[in-house]
Amino acid sequence: MEDNLFQLHRELKSKTYRHGSYESFNITDPKLRRISKACVRDRVLHHAVFRILYSIFDESFIFDSYSCRIGKGTHKAVSRLEIFCHKLSRNNTKTIFALKCDVKKFFDSINHNILLNLIKRKIGGDDVWLIGKIVDSFCKAPNTGLPLGNVTSQLFANIYLNELDQFVKHNLKEKYYLRYCDDFVILGESVGRLRKVTGDIGKFLAQNLKLSIHPAKIVIRKYRQGIDFLGYIILPNHRVLRTRTKKRVLKRVSKKNLSSYLGVLKHCRSFKIKQKLLSYF
């Protein structure tokens, strides 16, 4: 291991480093995903690069970006959405609507040139050559795509979609917007306004990031009907587990993962399902 690290150091210093190939496999989580795993040597480098770039870029991200950031995460995102809902609906006395979208084949569609230009704009200098090696080590199509499996991909995704975040907050001036990876929610008082925002975002993504909104996953609903977000349904006075998630929990529970599932259920109204899980053991 020590010899490999010294060899890696020499290659980085002389700029002769070449990224290795990936080992790919499928997981169901809950939907099918293709994971591409780099070798140990490359993963060590990924973590080092991530640590340096995270400290540079994270401070430029909007507050309401919740994926793969220290102090954020799914439960913080859901809680923040509830705060937004209560605020805009004036404590559930006013009808409001939620627009929920996600980006179509996001990781497979990230353009390498656009991503590297965004990084260069922030850091400049000669160090971008190494980031370029990591970015170009994987393609789903020519010059396109990032691997699910690299720790750097999570950060690169936030750098890429920070452009969308800034557009929504500063150009469209949407106050009640939050994003988790490629899923985002915008609250509004008018369906017409949210439809216009959808069109504006679609144009921005196509023209600036070579991305598109998934047409089958554009949903506008009244808040009181429930907002489906990150495994939970957010309602005016409580939140519950999404039905699909509930079925998956009941199907997969075991002594080994019971504690994990009970941890998830702490964050919503779940007395009946908790009793059912505990009765199994």
Side-chain angles (χ1 to χ4, degrees), residues 156-173:
F156 293 157
N158 275 336
I159 292 170
Y160 208 78
L161 284 184
N162 183 52
E163 298 300 297
L164 170 64
D165 298 340
Q166 301 298 336
F167 173 73
V168 173
K169 296 296 286 184
H170 300 297
N171 293 69
L172 299 183
K173 301 191 184 303

Side-chain angles (χ1 to χ4, degrees), residues 146-243:
L146 292 179
L148 287 172
N150 282 6
V151 67
T152 49
S153 295
Q154 301 166 359
L155 178 59
F156 293 157
N158 275 336
I159 292 170
Y160 208 78
L161 284 184
N162 183 52
E163 298 300 297
L164 170 64
D165 298 340
Q166 301 298 336
F167 173 73
V168 173
K169 296 296 286 184
H170 300 297
N171 293 69
L172 299 183
K173 301 191 184 303
E174 291 299 323
K175 189 175 179 182
Y176 300 104
Y177 163 85
L178 57 82
R179 178 178 63 80
Y180 187 93
C181 195
D182 60 328
D183 289 336
F184 60 90
V185 176
I186 302 176
L187 301 181
E189 300 175 29
S190 156
V191 172
R193 168 65 184 168
L194 292 177
R195 283 180 179 151
K196 182 183 183 306
V197 164
T198 307
D200 292 339
I201 289 173
K203 286 176 190 172
F204 176 83
L205 289 173
Q207 291 170 6
N208 295 274
L209 299 175
K210 296 189 178 180
L211 299 173
S212 60
I213 297 174
H214 198 306
K217 295 183 179 179
I218 300 170
V219 178
I220 300 177
R221 290 172 65 86
K222 288 180 181 177
Y223 170 36
R224 67 169 177 263
Q225 292 176 299
I227 304 169
D228 186 340
F229 190 53
L230 301 178
Y232 297 98
I233 306 295
I234 293 94
L235 292 152
N237 296 305
H238 63 283
R239 75 176 81 148
V240 295
L241 211 57
R242 181 193 288 159
T243 302

Side-chain angles (χ1 to χ4, degrees), residues 17-35:
Y17 167 78
R18 297 289 180 272
H19 198 287
S21 58
Y22 288 87
E23 176 192 346
S24 295
F25 54 92
N26 295 328
I27 64 167
T28 306
D29 149 76
K31 63 183 180 181
L32 186 68
R33 296 181 190 275
R34 186 73 170 167
I35 303 298

Side-chain angles (χ1 to χ4, degrees), residues 61-67 69 72 76-77 80-81 84 165 169 175-180 183-185:
F61 296 155
I62 65 167
F63 181 86
D64 289 307
S65 163
Y66 287 88
S67 175
R69 296 179 66 195
K72 302 288 184 175
K76 289 280 179 72
R80 179 71 164 169
L81 180 55
F84 279 175
D165 298 340
K169 296 296 286 184
K175 189 175 179 182
Y176 300 104
Y177 163 85
L178 57 82
R179 178 178 63 80
Y180 187 93
D183 289 336
F184 60 90
V185 176

Side-chain angles (χ1 to χ4, degrees), residues 15-68:
K15 295 187 178 180
T16 58
Y17 167 78
R18 297 289 180 272
H19 198 287
S21 58
Y22 288 87
E23 176 192 346
S24 295
F25 54 92
N26 295 328
I27 64 167
T28 306
D29 149 76
K31 63 183 180 181
L32 186 68
R33 296 181 190 275
R34 186 73 170 167
I35 303 298
S36 297
K37 181 182 174 184
C39 67
V40 173
R41 170 178 173 272
D42 292 327
R43 294 206 306 272
V44 168
L45 179 64
H46 296 168
H47 279 275
V49 169
F50 175 89
R51 287 176 64 182
I52 293 167
L53 290 183
Y54 183 92
S55 62
I56 295 170
F57 280 93
D58 189 70
E59 62 185 16
S60 66
F61 296 155
I62 65 167
F63 181 86
D64 289 307
S65 163
Y66 287 88
S67 175
C68 304

